[in-house]
Amino acid sequence: MDRQTYNAELAGLRELRTEIGQAEKTVAAAQKELDKLAAQRSRRVAGLAGYEKADAATVAKASGLTLADVVRIAPLLDPTPAAVRTARAEDQAAAVVPAAAPVQAPVAEPAQHPEPAGALTPALTRPAPAVEQPAPAGVTAAVPSEVEDLAVVVVEVPSEVPAASVASVAAPARLAVESGPRELPTLPEGPDGARFEAVTTGLVSKRPNFTQQARATVFLDAATGDLAVRDQVVRLTLGAKSPGEILDAVLATAPGTERIYVTAGAPWHVGAERYSTLKDAVAGWLNTPSERWTTAVGAGRDKLAGHFVHQRQPVGRYAPATAPDTAMVEIRSMGEWFDADGADVATCRLAFTLLWQALRRHWDDAVLMGSPSQTGRDLWTRTIPTKGKWAGGYPVLSEELRGLLHATGGQGRTELILPPRVPEQLPALVEYDRTFAYAKHLWKSPVGTPTRITAASFAAMTEAEQAKALMSCSHWNIRVTVPQGWNHVGLLPAPVTGDRAWVYPSEPGTTFTTWAGGAEVHLALSNHIAPWKVEILGGLVFEDGKPLDDWGKRLKAAWADLTNLSKLHGDERQMQAAYLASRAVRSVLLFGLGGFAQRPRLVSGTTPAGEALPAGVEILGQDGEVVTWQRQAGFSRDPYAHPEWAAYVWSGARAALLDMKYRDGKEVVGVAGALHAKPGTVVYFGTDGIALTERQPWPYRGEVGDYLLKGHLTGPVPHPTSQEQYLQLRAQGRAALAAANVQTIGGDR
């Protein structure tokens, strides 16, 4: 090619660029119009469900939708026989059974796997190659997942609540039946196995080309009726505190409001004693009949619709019954962002203002969305690189691989250790909490398509190659044996059936098969007490990348700004608001990370009692008039689904609960974690915190990941027999430590 041809090609390329830009604008305009028409169709389909003789097949033909689509939009039109309602009695019976004490270890697997010669270390074995069994089709995670509960249409949203938050919900206890090990999927051979080393075609996490629009937001104390709107506080009359009455009162005072945060009063719990479960009570409140308001069916870019039923943090989405095309109004809980802890509505509004200002210093286009999860993900998308290898976005793993990660990658460690492993009477209960813990583990994450490592290929590696593989972003299928003489806490998660999903065996000689991240496997092999025997059955090794590093650094900077403000500001209200805002930044990171996990969808809805329920549903409850149900719908084509990132961070955080090193540059200047406490002193693990029977000499520098003393309850303290009892003791310990600190400061003065 000569210079003249080259210049001509460049000129043609510029013309093509202009034409492509015009075509993209045309497509965007057409897509916007299509979304608007589709929303109108959904509203009309939902409205037809009110006709007693409406037929789903007829509606489907008239609307151009499939029968399944019609049923998802209007569950009342589902022609399925009502026989599935027989499951309701079983569900209600299970809801009132007292909770059993936590199981401490799974059924031991016979130790019939002798260690071959030539092992990397005394703990790491190199088994002969074995034929691995294919994973069952449609494997899904056996971990709790939140559900968007819909009254009219299906909604697809990521999980927003971590295990630690779910565990503290004050709901009727359920029997935790854990009869033995739970079999986990493995990597199949042949063509089926190739899908576990692939990405989803045409699905990439891309940087957005639009700016989020802020919503007009107010803050309401439902107990007092105080409403913070702009720079003033007014007192409202809320009547019986139904959704319709709240919406009428708020919009009469603050027209144009699109989002209402309830800071106190929990109106969704009014009359809860009339229901069998708290979730039924919340569902009943959200669906309170109103002549003026109806459930929103979704419109615009996010298409969020329907109600989200949660015991403490529900979301109600409403639209005027006479003008359903107007803007949706949400009623949400302030608890999604932080515990208001008695703060008034003006302080809560100030906290939101400070939060937005802190984020805007690091994102020019930062907007506070409805939840921390939505906000966290939106902020992350605006850190996707525009240069380098991943400038085009991060590919989403295959559905098979996402399913494997969901089934085998647990969340935070929650474990109550019972006697005789700890005393019946505790000499003290001392709580340590890792500061902004997950932010410590965002500097490196897996990217791209993983490389599969078989047992044979791992055995063929040199010791240096094996160590490098384990230290990389990796996920391993392993067979583990607790060493003889071990007298400390368990190190690796073992799958069990029942509500707990994972336990941490520590009984010497116990053998189990599991999956774990490279950080945990490496710790089991190299801990300072005694190496565990770990047999590599297979694994996945990713390229080390930094997709979360920039996001994490900006959030850490915002958190540090607000934390410093909460300590140094001279005004008491400003200090409290800054502290609450710093807690909100923590929620943005915590729930934003959980959003990457993108659990298999659990769609749910409500159906009037006596009407046919959709096929294959699980009944959640009934209030006498409405049946609330849910069913699994598999994975959505979410371009921001990255369970590999969440799994890697969770694994690193679990390892740091056991062993964390304080560094000054590359030099280790201190250690902390359960393995550095005396055997028999660890009482509880809670995601990013530990409770022990004595204080520890762990330094606190105020940096992310550091262990902070949060509570100290002087003994003797009866050992808690349940998580609920532990949480009560934890609250007492925090109050006692706060009182002691106040007295110390007063004495110093």
Side-chain angles (χ1 to χ4, degrees):
M1 178 182 294
D2 56 21
R3 181 70 179 181
Q4 183 177 2
T5 304
Y6 173 75
N7 290 334
E9 287 295 321
L10 284 179
L13 195 58
R14 294 188 187 97
E15 294 177 0
L16 186 59
R17 179 190 64 189
T18 302
E19 293 175 1
I20 290 175
Q22 293 173 346
E24 286 177 340
K25 292 180 180 179
T26 302
V27 170
Q31 184 63 50
K32 183 177 181 180
E33 180 64 21
L34 178 61
D35 290 344
K36 180 179 178 181
L37 295 174
Q40 292 178 1
R41 178 172 63 181
S42 294
R43 282 190 286 272
R44 292 190 178 186
V45 169
L48 290 174
Y51 177 54
E52 183 179 0
K53 297 183 180 180
D55 175 70
T58 303
V59 174
K61 184 176 181 180
S63 63
L65 295 170
T66 66
L67 185 62
D69 289 336
V70 169
V71 171
R72 281 196 292 269
I73 294 172
L76 288 179
L77 298 180
D78 194 300
T80 305
V84 292
R85 282 174 294 187
T86 56
R88 180 178 59 209
E90 299 174 2
D91 182 82
Q92 292 175 340
V96 298
V97 179
V103 177
Q104 292 304 303
V107 175
E109 189 177 297
Q112 299 176 349
H113 309 284
E115 182 178 347
L120 170 65
T121 70
L124 180 61
T125 63
R126 297 179 178 178
V131 177
E132 297 168 331
Q133 298 300 317
V139 172
T140 55
V143 294
S145 176
E146 273 208 337
V147 184
E148 283 282 6
D149 292 86
L150 312 184
V152 180
V153 297
V154 173
V155 182
E156 302 172 9
V157 297
S159 171
E160 295 187 359
V161 177
S165 297
V166 175
S168 60
V169 172
R174 292 179 180 268
L175 180 64
V177 180
E178 295 170 331
S179 58
R182 168 169 51 92
E183 185 176 355
L184 296 178
T186 58
L187 292 168
E189 299 287 353
D192 290 338
R195 290 196 290 271
F196 288 81
E197 302 175 69
V199 296
T200 302
T201 303
L203 199 59
V204 179
S205 302
K206 294 182 178 180
R207 194 182 184 101
N209 58 2
F210 63 93
T211 300
Q212 291 287 358
Q213 298 300 308
R215 300 280 182 91
T217 302
V218 298
F219 300 82
L220 173 68
D221 184 332
T224 64
D226 288 343
L227 179 75
V229 51
R230 299 183 179 87
D231 57 351
Q232 60 180 328
V233 176
V234 296
R235 180 66 59 88
L236 305 181
T237 299
L238 302 178
K241 301 181 182 178
S242 68
E245 289 170 302
I246 289 176
L247 291 166
D248 287 340
V250 169
L251 291 174
T253 302
T257 294
E258 297 174 272
R259 185 172 292 140
I260 303 168
Y261 282 112
V262 176
T263 65
W268 39 81
H269 292 163
V270 174
E273 66 279 357
R274 297 185 287 109
Y275 296 84
S276 59
T277 69
L278 197 57
K279 194 165 188 176
D280 286 346
V282 173
W285 182 85
L286 289 170
N287 292 290
T288 303
S290 171
E291 294 182 357
R292 292 172 51 81
W293 297 93
T294 185
T295 303
V297 296
R301 185 181 298 276
D302 55 15
K303 297 183 175 63
L304 289 176
H307 304 316
F308 174 32
V309 180
H310 184 270
Q311 291 94 328
R312 294 175 301 127
Q313 298 167 8
V315 180
R317 299 186 177 101
Y318 302 93
T322 56
D325 290 334
T326 58
M328 174 181 69
V329 184
E330 292 184 326
I331 300 177
R332 310 187 72 112
S333 169
M334 191 82 267
E336 294 182 76
W337 293 86
F338 51 75
D339 180 359
D341 194 25
D344 59 29
V345 290
T347 302
C348 290
R349 183 181 183 277
L350 178 59
F352 252 57
T353 301
L354 294 176
L355 171 63
W356 176 77
Q357 291 173 345
L359 293 176
R360 288 282 285 195
R361 284 194 285 271
H362 305 284
W363 280 275
D364 292 338
D365 51 358
V367 171
L368 297 182
M369 303 180 70
S371 71
S373 176
Q374 295 168 336
T375 303
R377 188 171 74 172
D378 181 68
L379 293 176
W380 172 78
T381 63
R382 298 171 195 282
T383 66
I384 296 175
T386 56
K387 298 179 181 179
K389 181 175 181 179
W390 306 107
Y394 294 99
V396 175
L397 301 179
S398 68
E399 185 168 332
E400 290 82 0
L401 185 48
R402 280 182 280 157
L404 176 75
L405 289 167
H406 284 301
T408 60
Q411 298 188 28
R413 179 172 181 170
T414 303
E415 181 186 20
L416 177 62
I417 299 176
L418 299 176
R421 296 169 59 194
V422 289
E424 291 279 1
Q425 291 290 319
L426 306 177
L429 187 64
V430 184
E431 178 199 0
Y432 286 90
D433 184 71
R434 295 186 66 216
T435 299
F436 207 15
Y438 285 166
K440 179 79 171 180
H441 305 281
L442 302 178
W443 66 278
K444 183 175 76 170
S445 301
V447 291
T449 306
T451 299
R452 178 178 178 178
I453 306 296
T454 65
S457 61
F458 187 85
M461 292 180 180
T462 65
E463 291 186 8
E465 290 171 337
Q466 290 178 339
K468 181 179 179 180
L470 291 173
M471 292 295 290
S472 66
C473 295
S474 53
H475 194 55
W476 299 95
N477 186 199
I478 53 179
R479 184 177 292 114
V480 184
T481 300
V482 182
Q484 295 299 325
W486 184 262
N487 66 344
H488 220 301
V489 297
L491 303 186
L492 292 166
V496 292
T497 57
D499 292 341
R500 294 186 66 208
W502 303 93
V503 294
Y504 294 81
S506 61
E507 186 69 25
T510 301
T511 297
F512 57 95
T513 300
T514 189
W515 285 78
E520 295 171 281
V521 176
H522 185 267
L523 175 63
L525 292 168
S526 62
N527 73 86
H528 65 282
I529 299 175
W532 283 32
K533 178 182 177 182
V534 179
E535 183 180 345
I536 300 295
L537 305 177
L540 296 166
V541 176
F542 292 81
E543 177 183 342
D544 292 350
K546 293 183 175 294
L548 304 179
D549 187 47
D550 187 26
W551 179 66
K553 286 179 178 177
R554 298 192 201 189
L555 288 177
K556 283 187 286 187
W559 171 82
D561 292 344
L562 292 166
T563 299
N564 291 333
L565 184 63
S566 71
K567 297 176 181 178
L568 302 176
H569 203 288
D571 181 81
E572 189 68 29
R573 183 187 293 275
Q574 289 276 351
M575 291 176 65
Q576 184 181 18
Y579 171 74
L580 296 177
S582 73
R583 301 299 293 171
V585 175
R586 176 184 179 275
S587 296
V588 168
L589 188 148
L590 186 68
F591 298 135
L593 180 67
F596 288 123
Q598 199 252 320
R599 303 288 175 194
R601 291 177 303 158
L602 285 174
V603 298
S604 62
T606 57
T607 300
E611 297 287 343
L613 298 178
V617 303
E618 173 193 358
I619 298 176
L620 299 177
Q622 180 177 358
D623 66 359
E625 298 180 359
V626 175
V627 177
T628 303
W629 48 261
Q630 72 179 19
R631 63 181 172 188
Q632 195 170 105
F635 290 94
S636 65
R637 280 184 61 85
D638 184 352
Y640 303 110
H642 290 284
E644 69 276 19
W645 298 346
Y648 184 75
V649 172
W650 290 334
S651 175
R654 291 194 300 268
L657 279 183
L658 300 168
D659 177 45
M660 191 193 80
K661 294 177 173 59
Y662 295 84
R663 298 181 184 275
D664 183 4
K666 295 184 178 181
E667 181 183 358
V668 176
V669 295
V671 293
L675 291 183
H676 298 283
K678 296 177 183 177
T681 62
V682 180
V683 178
Y684 185 79
F685 289 96
T687 304
D688 55 3
I690 311 174
L692 309 103
T693 61
E694 58 185 34
R695 288 207 185 192
Q696 304 296 320
W698 299 339
Y700 182 72
R701 306 164 300 177
E703 298 181 8
V704 295
D706 284 3
Y707 280 86
L708 171 66
L709 178 65
K710 289 290 289 289
H712 188 158
L713 189 61
T714 303
V717 180
H719 190 289
T721 59
S722 67
Q723 187 179 52
E724 289 72 23
Q725 289 186 14
Y726 166 74
L727 294 176
Q728 293 173 3
L729 293 174
R730 185 184 73 175
Q732 296 174 26
R734 290 183 177 182
L737 181 64
N741 289 339
V742 169
Q743 293 175 1
T744 300
I745 294 172
D748 290 342
R749 288 178 180 173

